[in-house]
Amino acid sequence: MSISPPKDIIATFSIVGYDPEAEEWGVAVQSKFLGVGAVVPYAKAGVGAVATQSLANTSYGPDGLALIEKGYTAEEAIRRLVENDPDRDQRQVGMVDRNGHAATYTGKNCYDWAGGMTGPGFAAQGNILVGKETVMAMGETFVKSNGSLAERLLTALAAGQRAGGDKRGRQSAALLIVKEKGGYGGYNDRALDLRVDDHPTPIKELRRIFDLHQLYFSKSKKEDIIPITNDLKLEIVEELLRVGYIKEETIPENDDQFYKELTTFYHTENFEEREQERGYIDWAVMQFLKQMSPINRG
């Protein structure tokens, strides 16, 4: 007779990573567990990142980062965390330190399949998985993939799901990326803190939210900034009319009115980061406008 794991076990697979060029640390995780992003990932810019799971000890996050900050390597920090933990045999943790050194630990009583692997700048681990292929796929994909740390972690997480993933199914996913002054307005280090708490395909949903985040908060690419010609201006007016930003009786009659309406659109839709000087528009914003559904503006 098989024994089912307790409901409070966080059946999870995660990958912790480091990008030395961008000086970013991060965690991507998926689980058959509600709101995994509130439990598993921890990171601090200039210090490191931690994923704590299985019978998760959430103190491993802040305590592990504090140990690294004192000068311990990821391997030494994990050793210190587990040596005095009476439930260490049910813990699982992955960690990358400030220098990109990685370590992973899986207690001997974690539910099968459970294990992890490390490589250059990453630690991948999981428990209650279909098999070791999930962890291997995450690690191999992270090493081979290109792009930002966030993109590499998301790609690796998706590869882990395709390789089998969580034996119990899917429910939530999260992505945490830290960088010095990387948060909104530069006031904290949370460059990305995205969570899908309950969804049938959480990794796909996490990717969708990530793409939206890039659209709203990334700077415009030089090649995407295009002049607003007379024809394009007419098209913008038609789209603003279609989605409800302007009405027939308020169609702009001159350039000042047109740019006033366009500015209202920018600021209402949170496109301040992509707002251009008068006479130009970011093509990504134009594409967003063309794909928008009509809104109810009373």
Side-chain angles (χ1 to χ4, degrees):
M1 181 178 69
S2 62
I3 299 176
S4 299
K7 291 184 178 181
D8 57 353
I9 291 288
I10 304 181
T12 300
F13 56 96
S14 66
I15 180 164
V16 183
Y18 169 60
D19 183 336
E21 293 185 7
E23 295 187 333
E24 294 179 340
W25 291 258
V27 182
V29 56
Q30 198 271 171
S31 183
K32 180 65 173 73
F33 187 87
L34 180 69
V36 71
V39 179
V40 170
Y42 294 82
K44 184 175 181 179
V47 178
V50 180
T52 175
Q53 54 203 53
S54 189
L55 185 64
N57 184 336
T58 55
S59 71
Y60 278 15
D63 290 352
L65 293 172
L67 287 168
I68 295 173
E69 210 159 13
K70 290 178 181 178
Y72 291 91
T73 66
E75 186 174 359
E76 292 167 342
I78 288 179
R79 188 181 304 121
R80 289 290 299 270
L81 291 174
V82 304
E83 65 184 2
N84 295 316
D85 185 348
D87 293 317
R88 58 183 172 271
D89 290 342
Q90 291 180 278
R91 310 294 192 198
Q92 188 171 56
V93 58
M95 190 179 298
V96 174
D97 63 32
R98 55 165 34 110
N99 297 311
H101 300 142
T104 187
Y105 168 84
T106 299
K108 64 183 180 181
N109 290 335
C110 289
Y111 287 91
D112 286 338
W113 188 89
M117 67 178 291
T118 62
F122 80 88
Q125 47 281 315
N127 63 90
I128 318 184
L129 303 181
V130 173
K132 64 181 180 180
E133 293 80 9
T134 292
V135 168
M136 293 175 64
M138 284 194 293
E140 292 170 0
T141 301
F142 182 81
V143 170
K144 294 177 181 177
S145 60
N146 298 313
S148 68
L149 178 61
E151 289 168 328
R152 294 174 68 197
L153 290 175
L154 284 173
T155 301
L157 198 68
Q161 180 60 52
R162 289 194 300 272
D166 189 326
K167 187 186 297 183
R168 299 199 304 180
R170 296 172 284 183
Q171 187 168 8
S172 64
L175 174 67
L176 175 63
I177 301 290
V178 296
K179 180 182 179 70
E180 190 68 34
K181 296 184 178 180
Y184 184 79
Y187 297 115
N188 60 44
D189 68 352
R190 291 197 310 278
L192 277 166
D193 189 359
L194 305 178
R195 303 177 182 185
V196 175
D197 288 340
D198 187 25
H199 197 276
T201 55
I203 297 175
K204 288 183 179 180
E205 179 65 5
L206 184 62
R207 182 72 203 209
R208 186 187 71 83
I209 294 173
F210 170 75
D211 290 341
L212 279 177
H213 184 278
Q214 296 304 289
L215 174 64
Y216 288 126
F217 301 112
S218 293
K219 300 291 186 182
S220 297
K221 295 179 181 179
K222 186 177 180 179
E223 61 269 23
D224 288 341
I225 301 173
I226 60 173
I228 299 177
T229 63
N230 287 333
D231 287 344
L232 184 54
K233 184 188 297 183
L234 289 174
E235 186 177 359
I236 293 171
V237 170
E238 288 177 0
E239 293 297 335
L240 291 175
L241 182 63
R242 178 185 64 82
V243 300
Y245 267 95
I246 59 176
K247 301 181 184 299
E248 289 284 354
E249 61 271 20
T250 61
I251 291 177
E253 297 180 354
N254 55 55
D255 280 355
D256 287 342
Q257 291 177 358
F258 168 77
Y259 284 107
K260 181 180 178 181
E261 297 295 347
L262 184 57
T263 298
T264 298
F265 165 75
Y266 276 128
H267 294 180
T268 304
E269 295 297 330
N270 299 309
F271 279 124
E272 287 88 350
E273 292 291 334
R274 291 183 179 268
E275 188 173 2
Q276 305 302 313
E277 62 178 301
R278 184 167 170 151
Y280 294 87
I281 191 170
D282 186 325
W283 184 242
V285 175
M286 185 63 197
Q287 290 297 101
F288 174 89
L289 175 58
K290 292 170 70 173
Q291 295 169 13
M292 270 188 72
S293 299
I295 57 176
N296 183 4
R297 295 180 59 82

